[in-house]
Amino acid sequence: MSAATCLLSEDNFLCSICLDVFNTPVTIPCGHNFCQNCITENWRINRKCQCPMCKKLYDKRPELHVNIFISEMAAQFRESVVKKGSKQLCAKPGDVSCDACTGIKLKAIKSCLVCLASYCETHLERHQTVSVLKRHKLIDPLENLEDRMCTKHDELMELFCKTDHMCVCQFCAELDHGSHDVVLLKEECQGKKVELGKTEAEFQQMIQKRQLKIQELKQSAKLSMEAADKETADGVQVFTALVQSVETGLADLMEMIRKKQKTTAKQAEDLIKELDLEMSELRKRNAEVEQLSHSEDHFHLLRKFHSLKTSLPTKDWTKVSLRQPLFGGTVARAVSQLKETLGREMAKLLEAELRRVQQYAVNITLDPDTAHRKLILSDDGKEVNHSNIEKNLPDNIERFSYCVIVLGKQSFSSGRFYYEVEVRGKTKWDLGVASGSVNRKGEITSSPETGYWTLQLRNGNEYVALADPDVLLSLKSQPLKVGVFVDYEEGLVTFYDVDAADIIYSFSSCSFTDKLYPFFSPCFNDYGDNSAPLRISAVCTTDII
C-alpha cells in the first residue's frame, strides 16, 4: 500500500472542490470523488445534484457512502506528507512560504524568477529533475517576486541607483542610469542598516525621554493631588474652626441674653411678691376699717383707730421700676469677636499662600539694554533709581525712550515665577510684568490691553492697580517689600505685601500670548523726595511675621 501511495501524485488525493487532501471521501455514481461535506454543501447551494467535474445531472439525490479505499489512501498520503514535511521547516512569520504547498505551508528554500514563485524542498524537485525547468533561474527565497521584477526588462531589480534613489535591474543600470552612482542592493542595505542602527538609537533615546517625561508627569500629578488634598484639609480645618467659632459665639450670645433676662425676671418676681404681701396687709386693714366704721361702741372705735394707722407699709413705689437689661451692642460685640477670629484664620491662610508662591522664586536681574537713559543700575543688576542726568546710550529697539522703565533680563513663557522688590522709603513706584512685544518708545499707557500688568504707588500713600479703569486700593499698611507672582497658564498676576503676608491685588483671567518680563519703574526722584532705589531682594520665607 505504501509503495502504491508513493507512485501517486498529490493531485490524486485532492478534492476538486476544496483543493485539499480528501477528508471523508465519497464516490458519486459517475465515479468522481469528493469530500462528503464539500459535495453536500455544493448541492445545497446550487439546489441541484450535479457532478462538479463531468456536469452529470441526477434527478434524485444519490445516496452517499464513504469510499473506504480512497479514505485509507488519503490518510496514508497525508501521513507521508507530514513525515516528509517534518524534516523541513514550517513557514513562520517573516519566512518566505512555499507557493505550491496546500494546507500547512512549508518554508521556501528557493524562488524561481521565471515562474515568479517560491518552493520548499519537496516542490522544488521538478526544477531539479525536469530539463525545461532546470533552465529557470533560481535565487534565494524572496517574497512578492512580481514587485521585485523590472516591468520594463522583466529582470530582477538587484541594483540601487543612489542618484535617483530607486531600485533598478542590470539593463536599467546600463541603459538609463549609466552615469549615475549605482550599487548592489546588498551594499546599499548595509549602509542603510548602519543608519537604521543610529535611528534606532535615536528612537530609543526619544522613548527613554518620553518615559522619563511620563514619570515626571505622573509625579507632578501625584504632587498636585497631594497639594489638593492638603489644601482641602487646610480649608476644612479653617472653615470647621470658623463654624465652631460661629456656633460657640452664638451659644455664648444666647447664654448671655438668657442670663440677663433671667436676672430681670427674678427682680420682677421679687418686687411682685413684695407688692402682693403689702396688698394683703392693706386689704386686712381695710376690712378692719370698714368693720370699725359701723361700730356704735365709741370707746372701742377710739381705742382701735390709733392702732389702724400704725405699722402700715411705707415704701414709695412710685420710685420703684424694673431695671431693663442692656441688650444693645451684644450682637455687635459677638460679631466683632467673630471678625477677629476670622481675621486670625485669614492671616494664617494668607501666610501659607505666600509661602507656597515663594517656592517659585526666581533670580531676577535688571537688563541695562532696556533701561531708560536716566536710570542708574547697580553693578549686580539688582538695584535701580532715577537720576536727573541723562546718560549717552545707544537708542536700541529694546530701550525705553520716554518712560523711566527697565525690564528684567529673564523672560517667561510658561509655568510660574515669583520675585520680591524692596520699596522702602519711596513715595512713587511701578512694579509688575510686561509683554515682550510692548511699545517702548514715546509715552506709554500702562494697562493689560497694552501688555502691562502693573501696580503703582503715587503721592506717597495712594496704591493703584493699573487695570483700565484704574482700581484705587485701600491697604491696612504701607508695604515695605512687594512680592510679584505670575502663573502663566492660569493667567494670574498677584501682588503681595510680604511683611504683612497679605494680598494687595490680583489680575486674573489674563490672556498671555508672548514672553513676560519683570517690570520696574522707580519713577522720578522728585528732587530727593523719591531718591530711594527699587531693590530686587532675595526671597526668604522667614521674613513673614
Side-chain angles (χ1 to χ4, degrees), residues 283-295 308:
R283 286 192 183 97
K284 181 181 178 183
R285 295 294 179 92
N286 185 57
E288 292 178 0
V289 168
E290 184 179 359
Q291 184 181 2
L292 190 61
S293 65
H294 294 89
S295 177
L308 290 174

Side-chain angles (χ1 to χ4, degrees), residues 10-30:
E10 181 180 0
D11 294 340
N12 297 117
F13 300 98
L14 297 182
C15 170
S16 60
I17 296 177
C18 66
L19 302 179
D20 204 350
V21 178
F22 285 121
N23 184 14
T24 314
V26 295
T27 304
I28 61 176
C30 63

